[in-house]
Amino acid sequence: MDSSPRKILKTSYHLRHVESMKILPSGAGNISRLNAVILGESLASEENDLVFPSEEFSGQALVSSPEKYLEMYKRSIEDPAGFWSDIASSEFYWKEKWGQQVYSENLDVRKGKIKIEWFKGGVTNICYNCLDKNVEAGLGDKIALYWEGNEPGVDGTLTYSQLLQNVCQLANYLKDIGVKKGDAVVIYLPMLVELPIAMLACARIGAVHSVVFAGFSAESLAQRIVDCKPKVVITCNAVKRGSKVIHLKDIVDAALIEAARNNVSVDVSLAYENHSAMNRESTNWKEGRDIWWQDVVPKYPTTCEAEWVDSEDPLFLLYTSGSTGKPKGVLHTTGGYMVYTATTFKYAFDYKPSDVYWCTADCGWITGHSYVTYGPLLNGASVVVYEGAPNYPDSGRCWDIVDKYKVTIFYTAPTLVRSLMRDGDEYVTQYSRKSLRVLGSVGEPINPSAWRWFFNVVGDSRCPISDTWWQTETGGFMMTPLPGAWPQKPGSATFPFFGVQPVIVDEKGVEIEGECNGYLCVKSSWPGAFRTLYGDHERYETTYFKPFPGYYFSGDGCSRDKDGYHWLTGRVDDVINVSGHRIGTAEVESALVSHPQCAEAAVVGVEHEVKGQGIYAFVTLVDGVDYSEELRKSLVHAVRSQIGAFAAPDKIHWAPGLPKTRSGKIMRRILRKIAARQLDELGDTSTLADPNVVEQLIELADR
């Protein structure tokens, strides 16, 4: 389907999910079954409360009412070309404008190859829009990055002008060693300012960055290096996270050895000396390949011409866990992603130029790409970047940072909220937090009790919460409250962002109307959508577009209540969401089975008080091997070393056998029920090849 700039779409989409948004504080009596709580006047406590923004907040909000939202949303669905081209033209710099066609899409595998394009033919550079454009607008002396080190009292700042100069120096160095437009660069760095600098430097010269979270193991890093074949790896010698020193360069060294075994060699490893964690004399070194950042980058000029790229040229690769065990290289392109991340940031957080914004995510995840680096900087925001752990040296560190920098927008994960909630209110209430005006949640659905604690205790019952639903693949927010626009329900992602058409379908792919529960899909494209999986377009189509032809399938379950609010119910595929990190069950199973004493393994997700989901592993040992605590630890270590500590199983359940159908398929439904101790919900086990296995597993549950 193609679209010209002003073509009005005839759509069967009746805005049904927002028809109930005639809800205003003054009209609360119309919905007597729901109690209205005005922000700042009462605690959100009852299960069925609607939490309204205060009139004062709504009065200054970018989107100040349900009517205003509905007006903008309606246009974005009926005239997406006009809606998005107006924003793209007025708020971004383009060296050349796109042609007559604003976007082109095919989301139906039955009609040919899946294709999504936005602003094709438009020529721009996202780094130029993040930095040069802001400096030229007079923001050169505005703080772009506040950096807070692991140790209290260690900090630094970069203005927009200084950040631009630093980015240009690294960009010039990369060009000098032969990195060209389209080349891949792997970045394995902790949350130093050098991480966003490296991302922006790549974008400036048209190189494709692939940031790998600096918690992944050497083996996981090697997999990604082998897949994208980078010209250079950028890392640092070590980092302190809390009181623990992590030797990042040693991990990179091991990954490069592993990659070389797979015939992928990297000529340059650029290492930043993070002297607060480790000095260069103690760092393992390979002459001819390893280069100290501080020895070369500062010698380069502080200006560098931007490489002008097509809107559909690649911007970055970000690897995410898949259900098959092999990481998927999610590919985002430039123009649509730029417009979408900037616009979602602006409206979802009700951004004002005076705001100080802090997102606690690491740039190794999509949140750190879209909402630490690109989205905020495209808006000229001041961003806090924090190197350390959120509970170091104690659980008050977040609020100490909020007070120190007068943070106004605080965006974090439900895992952190639950963890801090468990540590007690006193860590929060000893700090002022008066600067806060908007809170945000990302990574997984936030349970209502954590939402209320976040709202009541952290936000003093006066800060709206942008509870965002989106994915690595979507590039930016898909569903989120807009602060000031509508009443919230604790734990609900509420309604779609502009241009997004969520639908809930049944197992046959039929759209379900009204109050319902089913599979969350999206019809029609949006500018921030990923375009392919690197080197594997077939897997892209099979994973995301074949399950329900004509739709993008999110892999998430969703329910819609009688008022039209959306509630995410978690993954419906073989991916576990641990502390906001997506981990494929097949990846963990593969790591377990690599242990010489493990014959077979099956992994499921189980509810976890802090992490949202925990990893529960059923393990069958080779014949003659006895269960032992030592072996249990050894199995966990196998996962830690192959994937990373964040993927370590929370529970190893010894399994003489696994429940399988006669065709050999493992019945994970039964394993999930056993893991959750929902033994009265096991259902029919008569179809199993050996029904007795279930009884054995129940007997061994607490061994």
Side-chain angles (χ1 to χ4, degrees), residues 482-502:
L482 299 186
W486 53 48
Q488 294 185 251
K489 295 186 181 186
S492 170
T494 58
F495 298 93
F497 191 73
F498 306 129
V500 176
Q501 298 185 51

Side-chain angles (χ1 to χ4, degrees), residues 354-366:
S354 57
D355 279 320
V356 175
Y357 166 81
W358 181 23
C359 169
T360 63
D362 191 287
C363 287
W365 310 108
I366 187 65

Side-chain angles (χ1 to χ4, degrees), residues 648-659:
D650 296 279
K651 167 80 174 174
I652 300 282
H653 187 134
W654 303 123
L658 294 169

Side-chain angles (χ1 to χ4, degrees), residues 136-431:
E136 288 161 14
L139 299 181
D141 292 333
K142 182 177 181 179
I143 302 294
L145 302 177
Y146 288 102
W147 180 73
E148 174 78 4
N150 181 64
E151 298 296 332
V154 177
D155 52 33
T157 60
L158 283 175
T159 64
Y160 270 89
S161 290
Q162 291 167 333
L163 179 56
L164 175 57
Q165 290 169 0
N166 278 267
V167 166
C168 286
Q169 286 183 313
L170 180 58
N172 282 322
Y173 168 75
L174 291 173
K175 279 172 38 174
D176 201 27
I177 62 168
V179 178
K180 302 183 298 298
K181 178 184 172 185
D183 286 342
V185 173
V186 164
I187 303 169
Y188 188 75
L189 280 168
M191 288 297 280
L192 306 171
V193 290
E194 284 68 27
L195 178 43
I197 285 170
M199 294 165 69
L200 290 160
C202 290
R204 190 165 194 84
I205 64 174
V208 181
H209 62 72
S210 182
V211 183
V212 179
F213 172 58
F216 273 112
S217 67
E219 193 164 322
S220 293
L221 176 58
Q223 275 184 315
R224 289 150 173 79
I225 290 170
V226 168
D227 195 60
C228 73
K229 301 173 181 58
K231 279 282 180 70
V232 58
V233 174
I234 302 176
T235 189
C236 75
N237 54 349
V239 65
K240 272 189 84 174
R241 189 157 172 84
S243 56
K244 185 181 178 186
V245 176
I246 303 161
H247 297 90
L248 297 183
K249 189 177 174 301
D250 288 353
I251 294 170
V252 170
D253 291 349
L256 291 175
I257 290 168
E258 179 64 27
R261 287 196 193 110
N262 288 277
N263 301 314
V264 175
S265 62
V266 178
D267 294 334
V268 179
S269 174
L270 181 67
Y272 183 83
E273 183 191 358
N274 189 17
H275 57 81
S276 64
M278 185 183 195
N279 60 36
R280 62 171 66 190
E281 291 74 28
S282 306
T283 306
N284 291 322
W285 205 250
K286 183 177 177 181
E287 289 298 337
R289 182 197 69 189
D290 298 347
I291 307 284
W292 286 114
W293 175 310
Q294 285 93 330
D295 288 354
V296 291
V297 175
K299 294 176 181 173
Y300 281 83
T302 55
T303 58
C304 175
E305 273 297 307
E307 178 77 31
W308 300 105
V309 301
D310 188 273
S311 177
E312 283 301 324
D313 281 339
L315 174 62
F316 67 85
L317 274 175
L318 188 54
Y319 287 87
T320 184
S321 287
S323 55
T324 64
K326 182 177 183 280
K328 300 175 295 191
V330 169
L331 181 77
H332 281 284
T333 55
T334 303
Y337 175 84
M338 173 177 77
V339 172
Y340 197 71
T341 52
T343 308
T344 47
F345 174 83
K346 174 180 172 179
Y347 287 108
F349 295 123
D350 188 50
Y351 173 71
K352 305 287 192 290
S354 57
D355 279 320
V356 175
Y357 166 81
W358 181 23
C359 169
T360 63
D362 191 287
C363 287
W365 310 108
I366 187 65
T367 306
H369 285 59
S370 300
Y371 301 112
V372 173
T373 305
Y374 292 116
L377 295 179
L378 286 164
N379 280 279
S382 294
V383 183
V384 174
V385 174
Y386 175 45
E387 177 189 26
N391 57 354
Y392 179 80
D394 62 37
S395 296
R397 185 67 185 276
C398 285
W399 322 121
D400 179 47
I401 293 171
V402 165
D403 283 359
K404 177 176 177 178
Y405 297 107
K406 302 290 185 283
V407 171
T408 57
I409 304 169
F410 179 69
Y411 187 39
T412 193
T415 304
L416 179 58
V417 174
R418 287 190 290 266
S419 174
L420 296 174
M421 176 178 163
R422 192 178 62 176
D423 292 340
D425 296 2
E426 62 274 14
Y427 283 109
V428 185
T429 55
Q430 64 181 290
Y431 295 95

